[in-house]
């Protein structure tokens, strides 16, 4: 391909990719920015609203707690014998009794006022004009006027509850120049609960705002209304005393509240309204959040849009550079692969360019290496299989072993031990039949064990019974198939090397299961071996010392045979320590013999 064609190919591919990416990025970016701004605004309103809801619920709890404190104070006054005597007695008290009663009244009231309620004025009046106030101040409004006031009349008409009112001016010297919130409850006597006076608890509006001031901000307002809709408390003084129709609450849609303790939330585009019934105050509380003001102060849309635009522009520039750096070496690599042709795929491609191109080139080169390696391994496997077939032919009884066995039988006959001679001959015949006559490559475990028993019997005749062999086969594994004479080399090795001279010992053959494999363990308590000797037995170069007893088949040949038959995860493992013994472990797949 000419240089001009390469350039045209590169320009055409990169231009198309870049154009598609830029157009797609711009369209998606516009949609994402718009959607993100709207979603983030909604998320902000929701998150901020939820945080304010928690604050609002805490305010409701604080107001109810404040009401409970006032109720405790008024109940204490109503139940105090001193207050009853001073205000409810029909007879005049002498000066001494009056002094003692006032002292007890003061003590009872001090005990009734909680420590966290210190901004209130408690005033008690009766129909006769008697009065008591818990602070060093004066009542500036005539008592008759107070008793005739609508708040007193409301308390007399409903003696069981506290009634709350907003007043532009209080009744005492400290509140006459300032608005106040007053709670009133009638004092009663007799079974008929006839009122004889009232308790007035006054709190300045400025002090009352402390109960809800932490909720309000420049874009959050709080309102508390009475039963008639009058605003008795608000975060802004100009709203207090107004009716709902004259206040910012006008037009705020209220939904019915099924559970008086539930907070109701009305969310709109411009504002969020929180409100809750306050049955103890015979009214409601409202929290109004101006969403637009909150967003303007806490959420800068222009900054977000600017950041998004800058980010999109940076991404487009980065994509352009990446495409440029990627397509150029990729195009060159494609041209080279096409020019080389299928017949020249033996040559690797030069690894260069960005990470993605290097990965492709490396993968291509790795594929070539794997292909060559696979071919070489396949050829080696075929060679090994041919070697295994040759080794299988070699697995026959050594003539020297036959001569020694027959000599041993002759010696038994000469001694006149017909029974032992017969047993030895039978074992020898069975061993010959299973090794020479039986051409099957695989035999069941029970048959292999029988061959080993025959082999052990013959060796005990020849060399004495100084070595005892024990066999343990787990139930159900007698019919598992394994290569013929796979265990004999290890028994042979233990007989002639683990117990030299007249040393006594035991060989244990244990056959069972390990996970999903057949596990065969041959353990002896002989002299063991050094690490060098163990490695020599497992050498793969065929130069380990050749044993000249039964078959001449080395232990490493057994390991090779198992790996060729079943795979690399199977084979032989040898563990040994000098003067302690040797343990041979074989792992094979579990293959059951089909019984007819």
């Amino acid at each position: 391909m000419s240089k001009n064609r390469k350039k045209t190919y590169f320009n055409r591919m990169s231009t198309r990719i870049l154009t598609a990416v830029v157009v797609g990025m711009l369209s998606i970016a516009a949609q994402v920015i718009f959607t993100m701004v709207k979603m983030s605004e909604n998320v902000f309103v929701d998150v901020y609203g939820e945080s304010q809801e928690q604050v609002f619920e805490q305010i409701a709890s604080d107001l109810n707690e404040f009401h409970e404190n006032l109720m405790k104070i008024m109940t204490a006054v109503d139940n105090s014998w001193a207050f009853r005597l001073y205000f409810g007695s029909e007879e005049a008290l002498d000066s001494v009794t009056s002094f003692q009663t006032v002292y007890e009244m003061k003590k009872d009231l001090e005990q009734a006022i909680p420590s966290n309620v210190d901004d209130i004025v408690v005033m008690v009046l009766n129909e006769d004009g008697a009065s008591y106030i818990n602070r060093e101040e004066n009542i500036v409004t005539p008592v008759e006027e107070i008793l005739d006031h609508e708040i007193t009349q409301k308390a007399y008409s409903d003696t069981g509850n506290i009634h709350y009112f907003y007043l532009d001016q209080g009744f005492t010297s400290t509140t006459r120049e300032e608005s106040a919130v007053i709670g009133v409850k009638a004092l009663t006597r007799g079974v008929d609960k006839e009122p004889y006076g009232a308790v007035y608890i006054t709190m300045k509006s400025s002090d009352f705002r402390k109960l809800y001031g932490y909720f309000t901000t420049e874009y959050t307002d709080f309102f508390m209304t009475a039963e008639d809709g009058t605003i008795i408390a608000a975060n802004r003084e100009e709203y207090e005393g107004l009716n709902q129709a004259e206040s910012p609450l006008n037009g705020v849609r209220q939904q019915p509240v099924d559970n008086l303790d539930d907070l109701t939330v009305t969310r709109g585009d411009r504002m969020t309204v929180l409100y809750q019934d306050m049955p103890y105050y015979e009214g409601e509380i409202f929290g109004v959040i101006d969403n637009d003001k909150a967003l303007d102060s806490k959420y800068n849309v222009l900054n977000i849009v600017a950041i998004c635009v800058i980010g999109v522009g940076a991404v487009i520039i980065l994509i352009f550079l990446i495409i440029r750096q990627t397509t150029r070496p990729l195009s060159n690599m494609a041209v080279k692969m096409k020019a080389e042709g299928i017949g020249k795929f033996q040559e690797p491609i030069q690894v260069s360019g960005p990470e993605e191109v290097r990965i492709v080139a490396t993968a291509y080169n790795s594929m070539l290496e794997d292909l060559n390696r696979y071919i070489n391994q396949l050829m080696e496997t075929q060679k090994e299989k041919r070697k295994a077939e040759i080794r299988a032919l070699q697995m026959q009884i050594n003539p020297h072993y036959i001569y020694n066995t027959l000599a041993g039988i002759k010696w038994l006959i000469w001694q006149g031990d017909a029974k032992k001679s017969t047993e030895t001959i039978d074992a020898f015949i069975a061993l010959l039949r299973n090794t020479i006559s039986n051409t099957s490559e695989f035999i069941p475990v029970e048959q292999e064990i029988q061959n080993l028993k025959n082999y052990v019997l013959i060796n005990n005749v020849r060399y004495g019974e100084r070595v005892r062999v024990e066999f343990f086969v787990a139930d159900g594994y007698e019919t598992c198939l394994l290569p013929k004479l796979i265990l004999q080399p290890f028994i042979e090795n233990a007989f002639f090397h683990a117990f030299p001279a007249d040393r006594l010992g035991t060989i244990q053959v244990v056959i069972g299961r390990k996970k999903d494999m057949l596990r065969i363990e041959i353990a002896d308590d002989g002299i063991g071996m050094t690490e060098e000797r163990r490695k020599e037995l497992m050498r793969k170069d065929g130069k380990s010392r050749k044993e000249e007893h039964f078959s001449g088949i080395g232990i490493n040949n057994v390991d090779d045979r198992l790996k060729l038959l079943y795979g690399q995860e199977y084979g032989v493992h040898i563990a040994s320590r000098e003067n302690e013994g040797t343990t041979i472990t074989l792992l094979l797949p579990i293959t059951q013999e089909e019984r007819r």
Side-chain angles (χ1 to χ4, degrees):
M1 182 179 292
S2 65
K3 184 177 180 180
N4 291 335
R5 292 183 63 185
K6 288 183 179 179
K7 186 175 181 180
T8 302
Y9 177 82
F10 168 75
N11 290 336
R12 184 175 59 190
M13 181 175 64
S14 61
T15 301
R16 288 184 177 182
I17 294 176
L18 183 60
T19 302
V21 170
V22 170
V23 172
M25 283 287 296
L26 290 176
S27 60
I28 294 175
Q31 298 177 26
V32 169
I33 292 174
F34 176 79
T35 304
M36 186 178 66
V37 169
K38 297 303 293 183
M39 289 180 63
S40 57
E41 287 180 354
N42 295 334
V43 170
F44 174 82
V45 171
D46 292 340
V47 171
Y48 182 79
E50 289 174 0
S51 65
Q52 291 300 93
E53 288 175 22
Q54 297 177 0
V55 177
F56 192 81
E57 290 178 335
Q58 182 61 45
I59 291 174
S61 176
D62 293 343
L63 289 173
N64 286 330
E65 182 180 358
F66 178 76
H67 168 81
E68 291 174 1
N69 289 330
L70 298 193
M71 178 60 77
K72 291 178 181 178
I73 296 172
M74 293 182 175
T75 302
V77 171
D78 200 14
N79 294 335
S80 171
W81 66 266
F83 279 95
R84 287 181 177 273
L85 179 62
Y86 188 84
F87 291 98
S89 176
E90 297 179 357
E91 299 178 2
L93 303 177
D94 57 64
S95 58
V96 176
T97 304
S98 177
F99 177 82
Q100 293 176 345
T101 304
V102 171
Y103 175 79
E104 290 296 327
M105 289 163 53
K106 180 180 179 181
K107 187 169 65 173
D108 290 345
L109 194 57
E110 288 177 349
Q111 294 177 352
I113 298 177
S115 59
N116 60 338
V117 181
D118 56 357
D119 295 325
I120 61 173
V121 177
V122 181
M123 180 178 67
V124 183
L125 301 177
N126 71 352
E127 295 290 346
D128 298 330
S131 64
Y132 174 83
I133 190 167
N134 70 323
R135 291 192 174 185
E136 297 295 329
E137 59 181 292
N138 299 320
I139 301 175
V140 297
T141 303
V143 174
E144 295 79 12
E145 185 177 335
I146 297 175
L147 294 175
D148 292 334
H149 201 283
E150 62 175 341
I151 65 174
T152 306
Q153 299 306 314
K154 179 67 175 178
Y156 280 5
S157 63
D158 184 7
T159 59
N161 298 314
I162 301 177
H163 302 278
Y164 294 88
F165 301 89
Y166 168 82
L167 295 180
D168 292 330
Q169 294 178 343
F171 298 138
T172 61
S173 56
T174 58
T175 59
R176 62 182 173 182
E177 300 295 335
E178 187 173 351
S179 61
V181 177
I182 297 181
V184 185
K185 185 177 184 299
L187 297 174
T188 61
R189 61 188 170 189
V191 179
D192 297 330
K193 299 293 182 181
E194 181 182 358
Y196 64 90
V199 182
Y200 304 80
I201 297 181
T202 306
M203 177 178 263
K204 295 178 183 179
S205 295
S206 57
D207 292 332
F208 193 76
R209 292 190 193 104
K210 297 177 182 178
L211 296 174
Y212 54 85
Y214 57 90
F215 171 80
T216 60
T217 61
E218 64 271 18
Y219 39 81
T220 305
D221 293 322
F222 177 86
F223 304 88
M224 182 175 182
T225 63
E227 184 179 9
D228 59 355
T230 302
I231 298 175
I232 62 175
N235 60 302
R236 302 185 187 183
E237 188 175 357
E238 61 267 23
Y239 295 151
E240 294 175 344
L242 299 178
N243 192 275
Q244 287 193 38
E246 303 169 338
S247 72
L249 294 179
N250 184 31
V252 175
R253 179 177 177 82
Q254 300 182 30
Q255 300 176 357
V257 181
D258 297 330
N259 186 341
L260 296 180
D261 295 329
D262 285 344
L263 169 67
T264 302
V265 182
T266 302
R267 298 190 187 278
D269 293 333
R270 297 189 65 256
M271 67 173 55
T272 300
V273 179
L274 316 174
Y275 57 93
Q276 182 172 335
D277 274 357
M278 302 294 288
Y280 296 138
Y281 293 88
E282 298 180 326
E284 296 174 309
I285 57 174
F286 292 82
V288 180
I289 304 172
D290 191 326
N291 296 333
D292 292 339
K293 288 183 179 180
L295 283 170
D296 291 341
S297 62
K298 300 291 184 181
Y299 189 85
N300 196 322
V301 177
L302 293 179
N303 285 345
I304 293 177
V305 173
I307 292 172
C308 292
V309 170
I310 293 173
V312 171
V315 170
I316 291 176
I317 295 174
L318 181 63
I319 290 176
F320 170 77
L321 295 177
I322 292 174
I323 291 176
R324 233 179 110 183
Q325 293 296 324
T326 302
T327 55
R328 182 178 297 168
L330 187 62
S331 300
N332 295 336
M333 185 176 66
V335 170
K336 182 178 180 181
M337 291 176 63
K338 184 177 180 181
E340 287 181 350
I342 300 177
K344 298 181 181 180
F345 275 169
Q346 295 296 327
E347 298 181 6
I349 294 177
Q350 182 181 0
V351 178
S352 62
E355 181 68 19
E356 293 78 3
V357 178
R358 291 200 302 269
I359 291 175
V360 173
T362 302
Y364 177 82
N365 294 336
S366 178
M367 180 187 67
L368 293 182
E369 293 176 1
D370 291 341
L371 182 61
N372 293 330
R373 189 183 304 112
Y374 174 78
I375 294 174
N376 293 334
Q377 289 179 352
L378 185 61
M379 295 176 64
E380 291 296 326
T381 301
Q382 295 298 326
K383 292 179 182 179
E384 292 296 332
K385 285 185 177 181
R386 288 194 295 271
K387 290 181 181 180
E389 292 173 358
I390 295 174
R391 290 170 186 154
L393 294 176
Q394 292 175 343
M395 292 184 67
Q396 51 188 318
I397 296 180
N398 191 292
H400 184 66
Y401 177 81
I402 297 177
Y403 299 152
N404 290 338
T405 301
L406 293 177
I409 296 173
K410 176 182 177 181
W411 181 73
L412 289 174
I413 295 173
W414 181 77
Q415 283 189 326
D417 194 343
K419 180 179 179 182
K420 202 164 189 178
S421 301
T422 304
E423 292 178 353
T424 305
I425 293 173
D426 291 339
F428 189 51
I429 293 173
L431 191 61
L432 292 175
R433 181 184 300 113
N434 288 326
T435 56
I436 298 177
S437 300
N438 187 359
T439 59
S440 300
E441 185 177 2
F442 299 93
I443 60 175
V445 168
E446 56 187 356
Q447 185 176 341
E448 180 71 1
I449 294 298
Q450 186 59 46
N451 290 338
L452 293 179
K453 289 181 178 179
N454 292 330
Y455 176 73
V456 170
L457 176 61
I458 295 172
N459 282 338
N460 286 338
V461 170
R462 292 174 57 190
Y463 305 106
E465 298 183 357
R466 57 187 178 85
V467 179
R468 185 174 72 254
V469 182
E470 299 174 349
F471 298 92
F472 303 95
V473 181
D475 291 341
Y477 293 92
E478 299 87 350
T479 59
C480 289
L481 295 178
L482 71 166
K484 184 172 63 175
L485 293 177
I486 203 75
L487 305 181
Q488 182 275 332
F490 303 105
I491 301 295
E492 178 182 349
N493 192 66
F495 252 101
F496 298 108
H497 299 286
F499 307 101
D502 295 330
R503 183 183 176 108
L504 303 179
T506 303
I507 302 173
Q508 291 184 335
V509 180
V510 181
I511 300 178
R513 181 189 186 104
K514 180 181 181 181
K515 296 183 180 178
D516 58 346
M517 293 183 289
L518 183 67
R519 184 174 187 271
I520 303 174
E521 186 176 280
I522 303 169
D524 65 67
D525 54 1
I527 62 174
M529 67 182 77
T530 63
E531 181 64 16
E532 291 75 15
R533 174 56 179 160
R534 187 191 70 83
K535 292 180 179 179
E536 181 184 357
L537 288 175
M538 296 301 297
R539 288 179 65 178
K540 302 297 182 181
D541 56 6
K543 295 180 181 180
S544 60
R545 188 175 68 181
K546 183 176 180 182
E547 311 300 341
E548 295 293 346
H549 294 285
F550 178 70
S551 62
I553 302 301
I555 293 175
N556 59 332
N557 287 347
V558 175
D559 186 60
D560 291 341
R561 187 179 177 194
L562 292 178
K563 284 180 168 53
L564 287 173
L565 288 172
Y566 304 118
Q568 294 299 316
E569 65 270 26
Y570 302 99
V572 179
H573 175 74
I574 301 177
S576 181
R577 299 184 66 177
E578 285 190 277
N579 300 320
E580 292 185 14
T582 302
T583 300
I584 310 293
T585 304
L586 291 83
L587 296 177
L588 295 81
I590 298 176
T591 306
Q592 295 286 345
E593 178 189 25
E594 295 183 2
R595 296 293 181 97
R596 295 183 179 180

